[in-house]
Amino acid sequence: MTDIRGLILTPDGEIEEKWLPPTGHDLLNALYGAINCDAVEAVHLRRVGTMYMDEEGRAEEKLAMPNEYATIVVSGFNRVVYQMYMGTVVILGKPDSDGDDTSLSTAACTYIRTLVAHIKHNNVTVRDLRGRRF
């Protein structure tokens, strides 16, 4: 099997394209290493893929850095945000018919990079369900 393309997005807005093992424990270990965690949580991104983040990133003892970039990416794809996302995240393509992650499409990579550039230039804001800014 060939490796799959993903984007690593840090709380500082740095983006790195990374090729990861396609399935199983190798992919899971690669996610742990990229995110620097022991357990990942998956966030579905409509029509595009999955964003993986540190499952314990919001825990009081860990207090990962807020990732406004990841939060706005979720808003960009899902149109609604329920929480501020924390720490470094990895974004992969949508699952195939077997449920395995796939490469992030070129169009999705371009959209995410453009969105992050807009955020860095203060051209994007996100509000929660109650209309409050994050």
Side-chain angles (χ1 to χ4, degrees):
M1 296 188 108
T2 50
D3 287 351
I4 57 176
R5 174 176 55 185
L7 290 181
I8 298 173
L9 178 57
T10 70
D12 297 327
E14 298 300 317
I15 297 176
E16 176 187 352
E17 188 171 302
K18 186 137 181 134
W19 292 89
L20 303 167
T23 60
H25 291 291
D26 291 338
L27 174 59
L28 194 56
N29 286 331
L31 290 171
Y32 291 158
I35 300 170
N36 191 24
C37 69
D38 299 320
V40 293
E41 180 177 346
V43 177
H44 173 72
L45 301 175
R46 279 185 16 200
R47 297 185 307 274
V48 172
T50 307
M51 181 177 82
Y52 292 95
M53 61 184 195
D54 185 350
E55 182 178 62
E56 299 169 343
R58 294 182 64 90
E60 207 171 297
E61 64 274 1
K62 200 152 190 184
L63 287 177
M65 192 171 168
N67 191 331
E68 295 173 348
Y69 301 96
T71 303
I72 292 175
V73 165
V74 171
S75 173
F77 288 113
N78 295 353
R79 302 293 184 238
V80 70
V81 176
Y82 297 100
Q83 69 182 39
M84 172 68 77
Y85 294 98
M86 311 295 274
T88 297
V89 301
V90 175
I91 304 169
L92 299 176
K94 59 186 170 186
D96 63 16
S97 60
D98 294 326
D100 294 327
D101 290 295
T102 62
S103 283
L104 193 59
S105 71
T106 300
C109 287
T110 301
Y111 177 75
I112 292 167
R113 290 179 188 280
T114 302
L115 202 52
V116 168
H118 282 291
I119 298 164
K120 288 182 176 183
H121 291 92
N122 296 316
N123 294 333
V124 178
T125 58
V126 173
R127 298 185 185 279
D128 66 12
L129 291 173
R130 294 187 181 105
R132 297 176 300 201
R133 287 184 67 176
F134 276 105

